[in-house]
Amino acid sequence: MGTFTFDGQSVHYLDEGVGDQAVLFVHGFPFKASMWEPQFPVAVESGRRVVAPDLPGFGRSAVPADRSAYSIDGYADLVAALVGDLGLGRVVLVGLSMGGYIALAVARRHSDVLAGLVLADTRADPDSPEVRRARSDQQALVEERGHVTPLVDGLLARILADTGPRHAEVGATLGDMMRSTAPAGWIGALEAMKQRRDQTDLLPTIDVPTLVVVGEGDALAPVDVAEAMAKGIPGARLEIVPGAGHVANLENPEVFNRAFSEFLSTLPTGS
Ligand code: MLT
């Protein structure tokens, strides 16, 4: 565990294992670093260090009050700054959903920190006008009520596959993370996602080994989106995870971890 300061804000991160290379995990919305805990042993057993920040607005990190302080590019700059601060060199960057938007922004803005990419349950294209409107409605609701509770059950129902073997357990874990998210963090991250740029033009330029993973029942970033993204990235592999929706690493960690472990075994471990 550690903290570092970015843009005057305190950022908390989990830090485990040792190795010449690190795997840096970026969480999705509205979660925190610990959503990646089932993957930490895979990275540690591969001889790598694990680093996973709570993004500003989430977990134990500072929560900027103003939504204009949040952006996907800003989160990407934070990831690169953390890599520099810890002297990690080039990392294997793993991002789920919003974490994937951030990983793609790192690939565009800071490709010199990358040794490999894992893009899970995510997409390169920006929000449609309908999705943007829905996010604005959510922001208004959280602002009006002063807490996030009214959104939790609906979001859980959209993201988890009904057929997932761990449906109840994962729902409880993610529900707790969601309910503990500060309203300003929730609103800010929605703003960041609403304003994010289209990254599809970046895909053919990605020149590090890449694994794309998607839950077979992901309703937010479905299989066809993942297939197109994997096709767009030179040499990328695609893993479709059965019994999983939008949070494949938690809904079916066995399959996710097998693909992740195989991917890591193909990469040199130096930074
Ligand atoms: C996430 O899991 O990070 C979010 O579902 C992403 C999004 O809402 O676009």
Side-chain angles (χ1 to χ4, degrees), residues 158-180:
R158 279 209 309 284
I159 63 177
L160 297 182
D162 295 338
T163 54
R166 292 190 173 73
H167 188 265
E169 180 196 329
V170 174
T173 304
L174 294 180
D176 285 349
M177 282 188 207
M178 289 178 181
R179 276 182 283 271
S180 68

Side-chain angles (χ1 to χ4, degrees), residues 27-31 35 96-101 120-123 127 131 135 138 155 158-159 178 189-190 193-194 196 218 220-221 246-247:
H27 63 82
F29 167 89
F31 310 132
M35 71 160 290
L96 181 130
S97 195
M98 181 177 78
Y101 309 155
D121 295 305
T122 193
R123 58 197 310 147
D127 281 355
V131 170
R135 296 202 201 275
Q138 288 185 18
L155 186 51
R158 279 209 309 284
I159 63 177
M178 289 178 181
L190 286 174
M193 292 191 285
K194 261 164 69 176
R196 77 184 190 279
D218 188 338
L220 273 68
H246 186 58
V247 197

Side-chain angles (χ1 to χ4, degrees), residues 10-271:
S10 162
V11 178
H12 175 267
Y13 58 89
L14 302 176
D15 190 355
E16 286 183 17
V18 285
D20 288 343
Q21 190 178 67
V23 180
L24 198 151
F25 292 93
V26 188
H27 63 82
F29 167 89
F31 310 132
K32 57 183 177 178
S34 61
M35 71 160 290
W36 287 112
E37 272 167 2
Q39 281 65 53
F40 291 173
V42 176
V44 170
E45 279 156 27
S46 79
R48 292 172 171 90
R49 180 174 172 182
V50 164
V51 176
D54 286 336
L55 296 167
F58 298 94
R60 282 187 252 179
S61 291
V63 182
D66 190 329
R67 68 178 73 182
S68 67
Y70 296 77
S71 70
I72 296 299
D73 283 351
Y75 281 145
D77 293 349
L78 177 152
V79 167
L82 180 58
V83 171
D85 202 69
L86 297 179
L88 301 177
R90 287 179 183 265
V91 300
V92 180
L93 187 60
V94 182
L96 181 130
S97 195
M98 181 177 78
Y101 309 155
I102 295 165
L104 288 172
V106 171
R108 183 183 291 278
R109 296 165 73 80
H110 306 283
S111 60
D112 55 325
V113 306
L114 292 182
L117 266 180
V118 180
L119 301 169
D121 295 305
T122 193
R123 58 197 310 147
D125 55 335
D127 281 355
S128 65
E130 296 73 39
V131 170
R132 242 178 243 142
R133 262 196 301 278
R135 296 202 201 275
S136 297
D137 291 347
Q138 288 185 18
Q139 289 174 311
L141 186 70
V142 174
E143 213 149 45
E144 183 197 309
R145 302 281 178 89
H147 59 90
V148 303
T149 316
L151 293 171
V152 169
D153 288 344
L155 186 51
L156 277 175
R158 279 209 309 284
I159 63 177
L160 297 182
D162 295 338
T163 54
R166 292 190 173 73
H167 188 265
E169 180 196 329
V170 174
T173 304
L174 294 180
D176 285 349
M177 282 188 207
M178 289 178 181
R179 276 182 283 271
S180 68
T181 300
W186 191 298
I187 291 171
L190 286 174
E191 192 64 25
M193 292 191 285
K194 261 164 69 176
Q195 306 296 345
R196 77 184 190 279
R197 63 172 294 163
D198 189 352
Q199 302 281 18
T200 43
D201 66 320
L202 173 83
L203 301 180
T205 71
I206 293 177
D207 62 358
V208 291
T210 301
L211 171 67
V212 174
V213 188
V214 61
E216 70 175 351
D218 188 338
L220 273 68
V223 168
D224 59 329
V225 166
E227 279 169 347
M229 191 165 62
K231 230 179 241 165
I233 302 173
R237 305 150 173 235
L238 174 69
E239 181 77 26
I240 300 172
V241 180
H246 186 58
V247 197
N249 72 305
L250 290 175
E251 294 180 83
N252 193 340
E254 289 81 14
V255 173
F256 189 102
N257 284 354
R258 186 186 36 71
F260 180 42
S261 169
E262 275 169 22
F263 176 68
L264 289 179
S265 73
T266 65
L267 304 179
T269 50
S271 66

